């Protein structure tokens, strides 16, 4: 993946991004009063190779002026039919409200569909108001069965492969 949105570069994660990507996610979580869990819910950010790349998922970073300002990722899950879960979709507050989140979500969905997956799951927390609004306005339906302790909402969307 190497895509531009305005003057933002969305690209594949590289080993050298590990610390900076983790810092972005940790910062956004703290902004909403949620904890960084390196041994739990956020272990995947520190082990991208195992959690994403080795299982057929992808992890992207968003750069602006050579700084990482956001992340987005997905990996296959045993839930529903030919399903993936979108994870780690975070943007620093300085780049929210520019349409970047919606564009990132659309790019993730396109990549997922192109790989033949049929269902997308997302877990989030109600305090992440912008995220909840984004998912609900883009066709994600409320579901049940949160698997991540800090999340209290689950969404699912079926995608049609053309």
């Amino acid at each position: 993946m190497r895509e531009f949105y305005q003057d933002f570069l969305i690209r594949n994660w590289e080993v050298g991004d590990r610390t900076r990507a983790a810092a972005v996610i940790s910062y956004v979580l703290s902004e909403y009063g949620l904890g960084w869990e390196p041994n739990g819910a956020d272990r995947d950010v520190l082990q991208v190779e195992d959690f994403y790349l080795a299982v057929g998922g992808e992890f992207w970073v968003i750069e602006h002026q050579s700084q990482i300002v956001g992340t987005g990722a997905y990996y296959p899950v045993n839930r529903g039919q030919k399903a993936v879960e979108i994870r780690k979709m975070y943007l620093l507050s300085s780049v929210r409200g520019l349409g970047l989140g919606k564009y990132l979500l659309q790019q993730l969905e396109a990549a997922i569909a192109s790989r033949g997956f049929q269902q997308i799951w997302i877990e989030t927390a109600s305090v992440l108001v912008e995220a909840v609004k984004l998912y609900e306005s883009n066709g994600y339906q409320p579901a049940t069965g949160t698997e991540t302790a800090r999340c209290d909402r689950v969404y699912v969307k079926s995608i049609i492969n053309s």
Side-chain angles (χ1 to χ4, degrees):
M1 158 57 98
R2 188 171 179 83
E3 183 79 31
F4 283 93
Y5 175 80
Q6 296 172 5
D7 55 350
F8 295 94
L9 169 63
I10 303 170
R11 63 168 175 80
N12 287 323
W13 177 92
E14 299 166 0
V15 174
D17 297 329
R18 190 180 323 272
T19 305
R20 294 187 305 153
V24 166
I25 293 166
S26 174
Y27 183 83
V28 174
L29 287 168
S30 69
E31 184 186 347
Y32 288 91
L34 299 171
W36 166 251
E37 301 173 14
N39 298 314
D42 301 307
R43 202 170 88 218
D44 57 332
V45 180
L46 303 174
Q47 299 173 17
V48 169
E49 298 91 339
D50 297 336
F51 279 83
Y52 295 92
L53 309 184
V55 297
E58 293 187 83
F59 195 106
W60 301 342
V61 297
I62 299 96
E63 275 189 5
H64 184 251
Q65 298 173 345
S66 301
Q67 297 298 310
I68 293 179
V69 297
T71 59
Y74 69 89
Y75 56 54
V77 290
N78 292 323
R79 197 177 201 179
Q81 251 193 323
K82 290 183 89 177
V84 299
E85 182 178 341
I86 287 180
R87 294 184 49 86
K88 303 307 182 219
M89 209 172 127
Y90 292 103
L91 296 173
L92 292 177
S93 59
S94 58
V95 300
R96 288 185 214 136
L98 305 172
L100 182 59
K102 182 175 183 177
Y103 184 80
L104 177 61
L105 183 61
Q106 290 168 342
Q107 293 303 306
L108 285 165
E109 288 177 352
I112 289 163
S114 75
R115 290 178 169 212
F117 293 104
Q118 297 173 357
Q119 215 173 45
I120 302 171
W121 291 81
I122 296 177
E123 292 192 23
T124 192
S126 296
V127 294
L128 299 169
V129 178
E130 297 92 343
V132 169
K133 195 186 308 185
L134 176 68
Y135 303 141
E136 290 181 350
S137 66
N138 282 280
Y140 287 81
Q141 300 299 314
T144 55
T146 53
E147 297 174 349
T148 307
R150 70 175 172 227
C151 295
D152 62 357
R153 289 179 182 245
V154 180
Y155 292 95
V156 64
K157 181 177 183 177
S158 294
I159 48 177
I160 294 113
N161 297 305
S162 47

